Amino acid sequence: GAVVSQHPSWVICKSGTSVKIECRSLDFQATTMFWYRQFPKQSLMLMATSNEGSKATYEQGVEKDKFLINHASLTLSTLTVTSAHPEDSSFYICSAREDAYQETQYFGPGTRLLVL
Amino acid sequence: AQTVTQSQPEMSVQEAETVTLSCTYDTSESDYYLFWYKQPPSRQMILVIRQEAYKQQNATENRFSVNFQKAAKSFSLKISDSQLGDAAMYFCAYRSAYPNFGNEKLTFGTGTRLTIIP
């Protein structure tokens, strides 16, 4: 089946530093990847949609300069949380889809971010 | 905009029994996809089952089946012979069938936490 990995699985950083999270599709080429944020006991909130080779589309209320997304290849997308602050602490999940006509998204295992 | 509603924040069921999780949605589209995802304590989202709106037949995957009522905009998940490993958060999700710009994202419900009682 379709496998998506994320790295790191958890990260602790100091306030003001930047953190990069990688999302990889391991056995398929993902033209589109999605980045979600999930707070404890809540649903997934879509942050942005990333298409390979083009700029990401951010959801309303998500700061583009804060959450930098790069989708440079068909198997890798990265989310960089710049100048992280404690309120950025959360669980970040990526998902990937092969192409626009494949309706199923496959999710990565998530990354726990704790900003001190 | 589409919305997905899960009115049961928590459910519990005895092991080996059957449980049904509810999901309703609102859309003006005629063609779309519906999904149930499971999120166990590991927090890995796992696809349980999917339904294509243009198919009248309810989807089935082993012990998991859905009751898709298009006119009522209802999409419930039935878990038969519940097992301890079924304990998780279950999310219902909607996706348009038209992959135009902005329509490709999943819209999730708020989730139902399922507890299995041994």
Side-chain angles (χ1 to χ4, degrees):
Chain A
V3 179
V4 176
S5 69
Q6 272 184 252
H7 177 80
S9 56
W10 62 271
V11 57
I12 302 174
C13 69
K14 292 182 179 180
S15 186
T17 61
S18 294
V19 175
K20 180 184 284 188
I21 302 170
E22 293 185 349
C23 177
R24 292 181 185 274
S25 57
L26 299 185
D27 52 0
F28 66 102
Q29 293 187 325
T31 57
T32 306
M33 290 184 171
F34 302 85
W35 287 96
Y36 296 86
R37 184 173 180 176
Q38 186 180 32
F39 292 103
K41 298 185 179 181
Q42 293 190 23
S43 188
L44 281 70
M45 182 190 77
L46 180 66
M47 300 175 65
T49 301
S50 166
N51 289 295
E52 187 266 339
S54 61
K55 290 184 178 180
T57 302
Y58 290 81
E59 294 299 300
Q60 192 171 11
V62 177
E63 299 177 59
K64 300 178 183 181
D65 296 332
K66 176 74 171 175
F67 300 100
L68 300 179
I69 292 173
N70 183 278
H71 191 165
S73 78
L74 285 171
T75 59
L76 173 65
S77 177
T78 60
L79 167 67
T80 301
V81 183
T82 62
S83 186
H85 289 95
E87 58 266 29
D88 299 324
S89 298
S90 191
F91 190 65
Y92 294 87
I93 308 174
C94 74
S95 70
R97 189 189 66 212
E98 193 163 0
D99 60 51
Y101 295 93
Q102 297 297 319
E103 67 281 359
T104 301
Q105 293 182 25
Y106 297 95
F107 285 81
T111 297
R112 298 176 189 272
L113 170 63
L114 177 61
V115 184
L116 302 177
Chain B
Q2 293 79 23
T3 59
V4 178
T5 302
Q6 293 179 252
S7 59
Q8 306 156 315
E10 297 183 353
M11 291 282 285
S12 61
V13 63
Q14 292 277 355
E15 193 175 2
E17 296 295 309
T18 297
V19 64
T20 299
L21 308 184
S22 301
C23 173
T24 59
Y25 57 95
D26 188 30
T27 184
S28 58
E29 297 177 330
S30 59
D31 201 10
Y32 44 87
Y33 298 95
L34 296 166
F35 305 85
W36 279 98
Y37 281 92
K38 166 185 175 181
Q39 188 178 41
S42 68
R43 301 188 78 172
Q44 167 77 62
M45 294 286 284
I46 301 166
L47 176 66
V48 175
I49 200 166
R50 73 175 195 190
Q51 175 79 42
E52 298 162 62
Y54 65 86
K55 290 187 176 180
Q56 293 187 347
Q57 186 174 7
N58 289 325
T60 300
E61 287 287 343
N62 300 314
R63 297 183 295 107
F64 299 87
S65 61
V66 298
N67 183 4
F68 173 48
Q69 301 289 329
K70 191 172 183 179
K73 296 181 182 175
S74 171
F75 183 60
S76 61
L77 174 69
K78 185 172 81 172
I79 306 174
S80 304
D81 185 25
S82 297
Q83 300 175 0
L84 294 178
D86 295 333
M89 194 76 164
Y90 285 80
F91 291 99
C92 179
Y94 171 104
R95 203 211 87 153
S96 172
Y98 307 102
N100 298 319
F101 185 80
N103 288 341
E104 55 191 344
K105 61 185 180 184
L106 287 173
T107 300
F108 285 94
T110 51
T112 296
R113 182 169 301 282
L114 179 64
T115 300
I116 310 298
I117 303 168

